[in-house]
Amino acid sequence: MSHAKLVSCASFAGMFVILTACGGKIHYPSYYVLNLPRAAPQPGPSKPLKGSVAIRQFAAPRFLRAGPIVYRQSPEQLGFYNYDRWAIDPRSTVTTAFLQVLEARSIFQSVHLFDGGNTSDYLVTGTLDHLEEVDQGRQVFINVSITAQLVNVKTGDFVWSDVSSESTSLEDHTMPRLIAGMSQAADQAITNLVASMQRRLIDLQASAAPDMKGAGQE
């Protein structure tokens, strides 16, 4: 037998031993997406509070953009599931959901994704700060945290800023249940942020009304 054939046979035999030792199973990655339901129209103001708003894609730490789903064994230590990954970048899902909730609330005359232009009156920016499993001994939690800001494009002033964090325990520690819990937590965090923004804009409108009325009487 030639040397090349001998090496080839040895390599094949080694691979066979490895596969046999692992039970003969080849592991393939499983892919998941955040399932955020489309927001239903909500009772809003009689007319929009503000003009147009653009939503810039939310940012996120690099460890949330790497693909593998993250778990945190301690505040200082991150781990990654080898075979469980995001099929769609969570930043994209969160950005789209935020836009849809804004549309459902009818706070602005128009809502669209930021395309690099400055044609909107306001700009929403944000960060997906946390989207991970947290292990504390035998207890497992879901931690989701989102920060968002609203900027007046003409003046550059921050009109509103807030952070919403959701932490829930996970009783059934399976990957489908983990993703479902993350989806619910992210949906609630986004709803809380948009509601906070709406309250802020209503307060600003109310505080400006007496000034406008007084100016009209002069």
Side-chain angles (χ1 to χ4, degrees), residues 4-202:
K5 289 184 178 180
L6 182 62
V7 172
S8 178
C9 290
S11 299
F12 179 81
M15 184 177 295
F16 179 79
V17 170
I18 293 174
L19 290 176
T20 304
C22 295
K25 294 182 179 179
I26 300 176
H27 292 281
Y28 294 99
S30 296
Y31 292 90
Y32 300 88
V33 296
L34 285 176
N35 181 22
L36 305 184
R38 188 176 185 90
Q42 298 291 325
S46 56
K47 62 179 181 178
L49 298 172
K50 296 293 181 181
S52 59
V53 64
I55 316 294
R56 176 180 286 169
Q57 177 167 285
F58 280 41
R62 180 173 296 181
F63 70 85
L64 291 179
R65 296 183 275 118
I69 295 171
V70 180
Y71 60 92
R72 189 181 292 271
Q73 296 174 303
S74 70
E76 302 82 14
Q77 184 178 5
L78 291 175
F80 298 88
Y81 283 102
N82 292 327
Y83 300 103
D84 298 296
R85 307 173 65 87
W86 293 114
I88 300 175
D89 190 332
R91 296 176 299 170
S92 176
T93 307
V94 168
T95 303
T96 300
F98 199 99
L99 182 149
Q100 292 173 350
V101 174
L102 269 183
E103 286 182 326
R105 294 259 179 169
S106 300
I107 302 172
F108 296 89
Q109 293 175 356
S110 63
V111 183
H112 61 273
L113 290 175
F114 180 72
D115 60 2
N118 292 321
T119 58
S120 298
D121 299 309
Y122 296 88
L123 176 67
V124 170
T125 61
T127 304
L128 177 60
D129 301 302
H130 293 282
L131 181 69
E132 64 250 21
E133 169 191 321
V134 178
D135 300 334
Q136 296 182 1
R138 294 185 178 181
Q139 291 185 305
V140 178
F141 296 88
I142 296 167
N143 184 25
V144 177
S145 182
I146 305 174
T147 303
Q149 306 85 30
L150 179 67
V151 179
N152 185 315
V153 173
K154 291 182 179 180
T155 65
D157 295 332
F158 283 89
V159 179
W160 163 87
S161 179
D162 203 355
V163 58
S164 181
S165 299
E166 296 290 324
S167 180
T168 58
S169 61
L170 186 65
E171 300 298 333
D172 182 9
H173 189 198
T174 62
M175 189 56 62
R177 290 297 302 165
L178 174 65
I179 302 304
M182 286 181 172
S183 299
Q184 294 172 1
D187 181 58
Q188 187 59 55
I190 292 169
T191 300
N192 292 344
L193 285 171
V194 174
S196 171
M197 179 195 297
Q198 185 174 14
R199 290 193 298 269
R200 173 61 176 167
L201 293 177
I202 290 174

